[in-house]
Amino acid sequence: MTRPVPSAPVVPTHGRLRPLGLNDVQITGGFWAQRQRVNAAATLTHIGDRLESEGWLPNFDLAAAGRLPEGRRGREFADSEVYKYLEALAWEVGRSGDRALDARLRAVVARVAAAQESDGYVNTAFGRPGQEPRWAHLTWGHELYCLGHLFQAAVARHRTVPDADDGLVTLARRAADLVCETFGAGGNPGVCGHPEIETGLAELGRALDEPAYLAQSALFVDRRGHGVLGDTPWGREYFQDDTPVRQAHVLRGHAVRANYLAAGAADVATENDDTALHDALRTQWERTVARRTYLTGGQGSRHEDEAFGEDWELPGDRAYSETCAGVGSIMFSWRMLLADGDARYADLIERTLYNVVATSPAEDGTAFFYANPLHQRTPGTVPDPTETSPRASSSLRAPWFEVSCCPPNVARTLASLDAYIATASEDGIQVQQYASARVRTTVPSGAEVALDIDTRYPADGEVRIAVAADASFTLSLRVPAWAEGATLHVLTADGTAVEPARRVAAGVYARIEREFHRGDVVTLMLPVAPRVTRPDPHIDAVRGCIAIERGPEVLALESVDLVGVDHVDDVVAVAGAVPVEHDGRIWLPVARRSGHEDLWPYASVEPSASVDPGEVALIPYHSWGNRGSSTMRVWIPTV
Amino acid sequence: MTRPVPSAPVVPTHGRLRPLGLNDVQITGGFWAQRQRVNAAATLTHIGDRLESEGWLPNFDLAAAGRLPEGRRGREFADSEVYKYLEALAWEVGRSGDRALDARLRAVVARVAAAQESDGYVNTAFGRPGQEPRWAHLTWGHELYCLGHLFQAAVARHRTVPDADDGLVTLARRAADLVCETFGAGGNPGVCGHPEIETGLAELGRALDEPAYLAQSALFVDRRGHGVLGDTPWGREYFQDDTPVRQAHVLRGHAVRANYLAAGAADVATENDDTALHDALRTQWERTVARRTYLTGGQGSRHEDEAFGEDWELPGDRAYSETCAGVGSIMFSWRMLLADGDARYADLIERTLYNVVATSPAEDGTAFFYANPLHQRTPGTVPDPTETSPRASSSLRAPWFEVSCCPPNVARTLASLDAYIATASEDGIQVQQYASARVRTTVPSGAEVALDIDTRYPADGEVRIAVAADASFTLSLRVPAWAEGATLHVLTADGTAVEPARRVAAGVYARIEREFHRGDVVTLMLPVAPRVTRPDPHIDAVRGCIAIERGPEVLALESVDLVGVDHVDDVVAVAGAVPVEHDGRIWLPVARRSGHEDLWPYASVEPSASVDPGEVALIPYHSWGNRGSSTMRVWIPTV
């Protein structure tokens, strides 16, 4: 029996879980639906306009007209932003069928295709007279990186509108064939300084049923780690060329590169049944999550090289936590989830979605955080909307960056988010993320599952899942690790409790194996009351602090909510502080730091006590920075 | 009445204090004498050898032979290392009269002089066919920066061997004249991206009595801060071009640049009686010390741009605390001390000398720390002695760096250290730093002062000052701010107590105004018992930690001293821990961190208690990293 291929970014041929795509699941309301609306209505237009005005899309026109290199604009990897934009358009058209966006996509594809050379090569920065030769600068040139994004865009189009006939898949196929021809066994033995081709090729291979693409991806994964790329001022770990993937114990170096590579390696491990590689990736994921991940799910502590720091090096104020590293972490975790079926991967995805991906865009969808620090010491300045900002100014959200990977990366993630809500196994459905959604799919056992999920989550912890068709299957609901005390009950259409309310364990799936009937309602109650969180004492940077979380959201103290104190750094949580909800907000008992400032900030005496106890309102971290210039902190001192 | 000019790096025409030079003061034994011996015997040779083998000195030979630019080696500022080396040689010859070093100095001067062009220009990186034009790249070219160091070398030679006739002063004078001609009022309105010319020109003007040089220095100081240098990825504050010196409130941006500029501005303020400028510098010094300085005296928190961070941004593990920023801080503080006469400047100098300058060189004087972090999380690797390291690898001391400013900067500081021991005022002497030393000078009032200082400080807190000639003057002894409980007494030659032991206040000078007689002995007892130090609670990075200091030395816990625990990060100071001295070492009561590691490092529970109480030996921070690969921390958690 053939099932339709899910309209999803990642469709492994096998694994514990099978993804459900946009053809199976549609988000219908709530937190993420609102984000998707803004993404479709404002962000995609904003990105398209900027790609034009910055010249990154016109670069392809110049290429087609034979006028390059003169007039080429943007960094060497500017092509990749066009491809991520194409991918975002493809998912959005797949979601909504919007004809205007479809036309926009076709126009962009035509311009890119016109720049493709007869042998399939496409890149606006290399290979022409007056430019560096093709593949001559694999270390920093990003040619293969760009193609990886092109392939992901083609996959998105192929899986949503397979008969589009717009040339995108052909364009990608021709480029992929050239890559295999050039970099195959016995050919150019190099790899790209920025991973991405690995997962792009693997997925294109899955989508087009081309084993050669997967084989090439596996070659790239295995070549890396042997010093093939030379050194950097921050060592070879910068691009994960210090240690082969299958021998590494933790993600390291540039955080986007590290996650993209891990995602590609996970694809290879799954398709090749390469257990050793998969085990190595699981170890890396575990150690990275245990020692190198911020409370927000953010990854990468260092501004200097946009890198993971060492174990436990997680300063709030200098957190780089690049938006794209968050996207990369979701890519990696999602592939591990499909392979292993462990709820912990979906837990990290949820955390990263709410606290990194959702943090980046402004409410209106036309400005973005590149870095996502957990502590803002100095009020930022509001960037000029016409300006292009350096990549991680410690300022407020900016409309565009010299390196502008984050806006289209957020856009493609939001546009494809329906594909991350639920998965299927042999005889059931797993709800991985909670949002109001419509699920209609056939699980491998043959059961035709129809669910209507209704929830105000995360504002509210009640998730109501109405069964819309009779079917016998196992419904698994992820209970987040923080959700101690969650309960579940099942009522039939007439209100009979077939499963009375029962406590379900946190950190695993709550399972209901049943012959469901139309009208059954499964209700999961997740305890989203605000809670106090403490850091592992190895994390020096936040010792003696607490953070407040509420459901999947990390909360923050922003200076605009302070009364009687100017700066968030002058606030101390009172001993044993317990956050409470009232007046529609969350409040933390705090006091003001007393004491004067000395000429020398180190002394034998204990710091003086705090005064003026009161309470202060907290906000979701993802919403900070939307009310003008401010200071902010997630971790609040208790001493 | 004319007094001999002190053989000192800084000789203002006026100010509260007058420096004493190498002709007045000689360090005769103890901690710094040993450092000076290693500096003279090993470091200077090491630097000379490396300047040859790296090609940075041979660059001048190529220039003289008209063979540049081909074959030029090193970064654009490589000339400056030769000049700092020259300065170090000049001070060392001034101290010791060593004929071999004198010959070496003359040979180097001859090679540099041969490369000077007919109009006085000298730089191996600019101005020739095939090179960029002179002064075309003031922002990053470092031409004026290099000349500033040349001028300081010439001052050193001029003040130690005025009749040397080796050409160094002439060389400097011709270059300085060209600078004034080129950059004077109505000329090129630029400034150098890296300050240093300001203090170099000012001092050369003082030494050669050339007011034009001081005027040019003042022009450079005032031009800066108006965006004359363009922008950087880290803003214009990187090179202090964001705000004019006289309007700034704190040091900011690149920490070496900031301190060098402040030193030059202090020279200008003093010579021009520019009270407004001097007040601005005092404010900057105070705020920088209060909020942007490490316990070690180190400055500059950020690796990314080698910069001061924001207020209170002082992470131990990512402390950049560049050795050269420490040298620059001493330059700035010393000029403020001479102008204001406040002990606090000498306090910071002492702290920085013992904990930054003394930390950089290895025991054998041929390897150096470039950065001086207060926390080493991962054991470093011992660099290959033949290698040239990136500038701030978080590894152990390295023999040489691609940017190798630190070795010659340490060398010139140690070679001139005798000039930082004591100062004179109208009617007395101030002992600023404690070392066994011989002091012979005439104070402005006419008193001929002869003192023999004998001490094992900082190993021991007793400083014994024997008066070697009858004279009426005021002896002022700096009592460091940490030295609560210091006592002072004066005995005559026959043992009569003319001043019985009395407590003296910390943080100011203890004064004895007296008709001293030969044989009088003044004894200062500084309480150097180890003490507990706590950070200002605004410093997030070390909240909940204590540090142990002993006298002027900051102590550290190094993993090679641990028993039963592998890593310094698994050690906790027990509640109320008091360090004790026994068996010739300092011990801190500690316990081992218990508890297991979780997959997710954030939880609602309090961290578990520590176990296995015991004690661990601490070492002076400056001596860490001399016993192979290790982890280390200065701030030790109490929770």
Side-chain angles (χ1 to χ4, degrees):
Chain A
M1 168 182 160
T2 343
R3 294 183 304 279
V5 174
S7 301
V10 188
V11 184
T13 55
H14 54 286
R16 295 284 293 274
L17 306 179
R18 174 174 170 263
L20 297 187
L22 279 57
N23 45 349
D24 305 298
V25 180
Q26 296 87 42
I27 297 172
T28 54
F31 185 98
W32 292 113
Q34 167 62 15
R35 297 296 180 133
Q36 290 185 315
R37 270 193 294 276
V38 172
N39 190 51
T43 302
L44 289 176
T45 303
H46 173 76
I47 293 171
D49 290 350
R50 279 299 189 123
L51 290 174
E52 293 289 356
S53 65
E54 296 283 340
W56 302 355
L57 189 43
N59 285 340
F60 289 94
D61 306 335
L62 294 175
R67 289 171 46 203
L68 286 180
E70 203 185 346
R72 185 185 181 279
R73 292 171 62 194
R75 294 284 298 270
E76 61 277 22
F77 38 73
D79 294 4
S80 72
E81 315 310 347
V82 174
Y83 301 151
K84 271 179 277 187
Y85 171 60
L86 272 180
E87 185 187 343
L89 287 175
W91 292 122
E92 189 54 34
V93 170
R95 273 173 33 77
S96 66
D98 186 296
R99 296 174 67 96
L101 290 182
D102 186 76
R104 212 189 290 172
L105 182 153
R106 287 174 188 273
V108 173
V109 170
R111 291 163 75 182
V112 173
Q116 187 169 37
E117 300 183 33
S118 56
D119 64 354
Y121 183 84
V122 57
N123 189 292
T124 67
F126 290 91
R128 294 169 190 80
Q131 292 182 324
E132 296 289 336
R134 288 180 187 184
W135 322 123
H137 292 279
L138 291 176
T139 304
W140 298 104
H142 290 76
E143 286 159 286
L144 291 166
Y145 164 83
C146 290
L147 291 178
H149 279 300
L150 173 64
F151 300 162
Q152 289 188 316
V155 166
R157 189 62 166 170
H158 182 71
R159 293 221 179 104
T160 48
V161 189
D163 54 354
D165 196 27
D166 54 16
L168 179 52
V169 172
T170 306
L171 168 60
R173 189 192 289 274
R174 293 179 57 215
D177 289 341
L178 178 69
V179 168
C180 293
E181 197 183 303
T182 309
F183 291 91
N188 184 327
V191 302
C192 185
H194 198 312
E196 162 65 17
I197 185 75
E198 297 81 0
T199 194
L201 264 182
E203 203 63 38
L204 191 66
R206 287 165 169 167
L208 305 183
D209 199 14
E210 276 288 3
Y213 299 171
L214 181 82
Q216 184 62 49
S217 176
L219 266 182
F220 282 137
V221 167
D222 278 330
R223 280 177 190 168
R224 203 179 202 87
H226 301 278
V228 290
L229 286 164
D231 211 349
T232 80
W234 320 284
R236 289 193 166 90
E237 71 172 49
Y238 175 79
F239 27 52
Q240 298 76 47
D241 192 27
D242 55 328
T243 307
V245 182
R246 60 181 70 244
Q247 289 169 24
H249 299 294
V250 68
L251 298 192
R252 67 230 173 274
H254 190 275
V256 179
R257 283 173 166 82
N259 273 294
Y260 280 24
L261 176 64
D267 292 329
V268 168
T270 294
E271 296 307 315
N272 290 350
D273 291 317
D274 188 336
T275 312
L277 179 58
H278 190 76
D279 289 349
L281 290 166
R282 191 188 300 108
T283 299
Q284 291 167 41
W285 189 92
E286 287 172 351
R287 168 106 173 239
T288 302
V289 170
R291 299 188 177 187
R292 300 187 174 193
T293 301
Y294 283 99
L295 181 63
T296 53
Q299 296 182 344
S301 311
R302 295 188 175 175
H303 280 243
E304 191 187 17
D305 45 353
E306 307 186 302
F308 283 102
E310 296 178 335
D311 287 349
W312 313 118
E313 183 190 322
L314 294 163
D317 55 342
R318 291 289 282 170
Y320 198 70
S321 183
E322 185 181 339
T323 300
C324 289
V327 171
S329 163
I330 292 170
M331 286 165 54
F332 178 29
S333 292
W334 182 249
R335 285 155 179 81
M336 296 302 286
L337 174 65
L338 295 179
D340 286 356
D342 278 353
R344 59 186 184 168
Y345 299 114
D347 271 9
L348 184 68
I349 290 170
E350 176 176 54
R351 186 173 287 277
T352 309
L353 281 172
Y354 278 103
N355 301 295
V356 179
V357 174
T359 306
S360 177
E363 282 171 348
D364 73 356
T366 66
F368 305 85
F369 277 129
Y370 193 106
N372 296 279
L374 280 72
H375 181 185
Q376 178 80 22
R377 292 183 183 277
T378 307
T381 47
V382 183
D384 180 335
T386 64
E387 260 186 27
T388 296
S389 300
R391 64 175 87 181
S393 79
S394 61
S395 195
L396 295 175
R397 293 175 181 88
W400 201 251
F401 306 92
E402 286 161 17
V403 176
S404 218
C405 41
C406 296
N409 228 346
V410 168
R412 68 180 184 135
T413 304
L414 291 174
S416 60
L417 203 61
D418 312 68
Y420 295 87
I421 299 298
T423 52
S425 56
E426 182 57 30
D427 62 350
I429 293 288
Q430 300 77 38
V431 182
Q432 303 289 356
Q433 304 297 338
Y434 295 107
S436 291
R438 182 177 188 276
V439 180
R440 298 288 183 277
T441 194
T442 307
V443 297
S445 66
E448 290 185 19
V449 174
L451 303 173
D452 291 311
I453 307 176
D454 186 24
T455 181
R456 294 181 56 245
Y457 184 85
D460 186 280
E462 180 177 330
V463 181
R464 192 176 170 282
I465 303 175
V467 176
D470 294 357
S472 179
F473 66 99
T474 301
L475 177 62
S476 298
L477 305 178
R478 180 179 61 91
V479 183
W482 51 261
E484 293 289 346
T487 61
L488 181 69
H489 69 269
V490 185
L491 300 182
T492 59
D494 63 5
T496 313
V498 294
E499 280 212 36
R502 61 172 164 106
R503 292 277 290 253
V504 288
V508 292
Y509 296 95
R511 290 163 52 90
I512 310 162
E513 189 178 343
R514 177 174 154 75
E515 183 145 347
F516 285 100
H517 295 290
R518 181 185 167 88
D520 287 354
V521 175
V522 178
T523 304
L524 176 67
M525 294 293 300
L526 294 170
V528 294
R531 62 189 189 277
V532 172
T533 299
R534 294 178 171 81
D536 185 294
H538 284 97
I539 307 175
D540 289 275
V542 293
R543 178 174 288 110
C545 293
I546 56 172
I548 310 301
E549 297 182 274
R550 184 185 177 285
E553 294 173 314
V554 172
L555 304 186
L557 173 58
E558 190 174 7
S559 56
V560 287
D561 293 311
L562 292 174
V563 178
V565 187
D566 290 334
H567 198 288
V568 292
D569 289 355
D570 291 324
V571 168
V572 186
V574 303
V578 175
V580 290
E581 263 182 287
H582 63 75
D583 301 320
R585 302 193 70 174
I586 296 149
W587 302 83
L588 183 70
V590 296
R592 183 169 58 78
R593 230 181 245 304
S594 71
H596 65 292
E597 182 175 338
D598 290 308
L599 175 64
W600 183 239
Y602 309 101
S604 60
V605 295
E606 297 272 4
S608 49
S610 49
V611 296
D612 298 340
E615 59 177 13
V616 68
L618 305 179
I619 54 162
Y621 169 72
H622 60 69
S623 69
W624 93 272
N626 277 312
R627 295 173 292 172
S629 188
S630 64
T631 59
M632 177 278 300
R633 61 187 302 157
V634 164
W635 290 103
I636 300 168
T638 58
V639 288
Chain B
M1 166 181 160
T2 346
R3 294 183 305 280
V5 174
S7 302
V10 188
V11 184
T13 55
H14 55 285
R16 293 284 293 275
L17 305 180
R18 175 174 169 263
L20 297 187
L22 280 54
N23 45 350
D24 304 299
V25 180
Q26 295 87 41
I27 297 172
T28 54
F31 185 98
W32 292 112
Q34 167 62 15
R35 297 296 182 133
Q36 291 185 315
R37 270 194 294 276
V38 172
N39 191 50
T43 303
L44 290 176
T45 303
H46 172 77
I47 294 171
D49 290 350
R50 278 298 190 126
L51 289 174
E52 293 288 358
S53 65
E54 296 283 339
W56 302 356
L57 190 42
N59 285 341
F60 289 94
D61 307 335
L62 293 175
R67 288 172 46 204
L68 287 181
E70 203 185 345
R72 185 183 181 280
R73 293 171 61 194
R75 294 283 298 270
E76 61 277 22
F77 39 72
D79 294 4
S80 72
E81 315 310 348
V82 174
Y83 301 151
K84 272 179 275 187
Y85 170 60
L86 272 179
E87 185 187 343
L89 287 173
W91 291 122
E92 188 54 34
V93 170
R95 273 173 33 78
S96 66
D98 187 296
R99 295 174 67 97
L101 290 181
D102 186 77
R104 212 189 290 173
L105 182 153
R106 288 174 187 274
V108 173
V109 170
R111 292 163 74 182
V112 174
Q116 187 170 39
E117 299 183 33
S118 57
D119 63 354
Y121 183 83
V122 57
N123 188 292
T124 66
F126 289 91
R128 294 169 190 79
Q131 292 182 323
E132 296 289 336
R134 289 180 188 183
W135 322 123
H137 292 278
L138 291 175
T139 304
W140 297 105
H142 289 77
E143 287 159 283
L144 291 166
Y145 164 83
C146 290
L147 291 178
H149 279 300
L150 173 64
F151 300 162
Q152 289 188 316
V155 166
R157 188 63 166 169
H158 182 70
R159 293 221 178 104
T160 48
V161 189
D163 53 355
D165 197 27
D166 53 17
L168 178 52
V169 172
T170 306
L171 167 61
R173 189 193 288 273
R174 293 179 58 214
D177 289 342
L178 178 69
V179 169
C180 294
E181 197 183 304
T182 309
F183 291 90
N188 184 327
V191 302
C192 185
H194 197 314
E196 163 65 17
I197 186 74
E198 297 81 1
T199 196
L201 264 182
E203 203 63 39
L204 191 67
R206 286 165 170 166
L208 305 183
D209 199 15
E210 276 288 2
Y213 298 169
L214 181 81
Q216 184 62 49
S217 175
L219 267 182
F220 282 137
V221 167
D222 278 330
R223 278 177 190 168
R224 203 179 203 86
H226 301 280
V228 291
L229 286 164
D231 211 348
T232 78
W234 319 284
R236 289 193 165 89
E237 71 173 48
Y238 174 80
F239 28 50
Q240 298 75 49
D241 193 26
D242 55 329
T243 307
V245 182
R246 60 181 70 246
Q247 288 169 26
H249 299 296
V250 67
L251 297 192
R252 68 229 172 275
H254 189 274
V256 180
R257 283 172 166 82
N259 273 293
Y260 280 25
L261 176 64
D267 292 329
V268 167
T270 294
E271 296 307 314
N272 290 351
D273 291 317
D274 188 336
T275 312
L277 180 57
H278 189 77
D279 289 348
L281 290 166
R282 190 188 299 107
T283 299
Q284 291 167 42
W285 188 92
E286 286 172 352
R287 167 109 173 237
T288 303
V289 169
R291 298 188 178 186
R292 299 187 174 193
T293 301
Y294 283 99
L295 182 63
T296 54
Q299 295 182 346
S301 310
R302 295 186 176 177
H303 280 242
E304 191 186 17
D305 45 352
E306 307 187 300
F308 284 101
E310 296 177 335
D311 286 349
W312 313 117
E313 184 190 322
L314 294 163
D317 55 343
R318 291 288 282 170
Y320 198 71
S321 182
E322 185 181 338
T323 300
C324 289
V327 171
S329 164
I330 292 171
M331 287 165 54
F332 178 28
S333 292
W334 181 248
R335 285 155 179 79
M336 296 303 285
L337 174 65
L338 295 179
D340 285 356
D342 278 353
R344 59 185 184 169
Y345 299 115
D347 271 10
L348 184 67
I349 290 171
E350 176 175 54
R351 186 174 288 277
T352 309
L353 281 172
Y354 278 103
N355 302 294
V356 178
V357 174
T359 306
S360 177
E363 282 171 349
D364 73 356
T366 65
F368 304 85
F369 278 129
Y370 193 107
N372 297 280
L374 280 72
H375 182 186
Q376 179 80 21
R377 291 183 184 276
T378 307
T381 48
V382 183
D384 180 336
T386 64
E387 260 187 25
T388 296
S389 300
R391 63 175 88 182
S393 78
S394 62
S395 193
L396 296 175
R397 293 174 181 89
W400 201 251
F401 306 92
E402 286 161 17
V403 176
S404 217
C405 40
C406 296
N409 228 346
V410 168
R412 68 179 184 135
T413 303
L414 292 175
S416 61
L417 203 61
D418 311 67
Y420 294 88
I421 299 298
T423 53
S425 57
E426 182 58 28
D427 62 350
I429 292 287
Q430 301 78 39
V431 182
Q432 304 288 357
Q433 304 298 337
Y434 295 106
S436 292
R438 182 176 187 276
V439 180
R440 297 289 184 276
T441 194
T442 307
V443 297
S445 67
E448 291 184 18
V449 174
L451 304 173
D452 291 310
I453 307 176
D454 186 26
T455 181
R456 294 181 56 243
Y457 184 86
D460 186 280
E462 181 177 331
V463 181
R464 191 176 171 282
I465 303 175
V467 176
D470 294 357
S472 179
F473 66 99
T474 301
L475 178 63
S476 298
L477 305 178
R478 180 178 61 90
V479 183
W482 50 262
E484 293 290 346
T487 60
L488 182 69
H489 68 269
V490 185
L491 300 181
T492 59
D494 63 3
T496 312
V498 292
E499 281 212 36
R502 61 171 164 106
R503 292 279 290 254
V504 288
V508 294
Y509 296 95
R511 290 163 50 91
I512 310 163
E513 190 178 344
R514 176 174 154 75
E515 184 147 346
F516 284 100
H517 296 289
R518 182 185 165 87
D520 287 355
V521 173
V522 178
T523 303
L524 176 67
M525 294 292 300
L526 294 170
V528 293
R531 61 189 190 277
V532 173
T533 299
R534 294 177 172 81
D536 184 293
H538 285 97
I539 308 175
D540 290 276
V542 293
R543 178 174 289 111
C545 292
I546 57 171
I548 310 301
E549 298 183 272
R550 183 185 178 284
E553 294 173 314
V554 173
L555 304 186
L557 172 59
E558 191 174 7
S559 56
V560 287
D561 293 312
L562 292 174
V563 178
V565 187
D566 290 333
H567 197 289
V568 291
D569 290 355
D570 290 325
V571 167
V572 185
V574 303
V578 174
V580 291
E581 262 182 290
H582 64 75
D583 302 319
R585 303 194 71 174
I586 295 150
W587 302 83
L588 183 70
V590 296
R592 183 168 60 77
R593 230 182 246 303
S594 71
H596 65 291
E597 183 175 339
D598 291 308
L599 174 64
W600 183 240
Y602 310 100
S604 59
V605 296
E606 297 272 4
S608 50
S610 48
V611 296
D612 298 341
E615 59 177 14
V616 68
L618 305 178
I619 55 163
Y621 169 72
H622 60 69
S623 69
W624 94 272
N626 277 313
R627 295 173 292 173
S629 188
S630 64
T631 59
M632 178 278 300
R633 60 187 303 157
V634 165
W635 290 102
I636 300 168
T638 58
V639 288

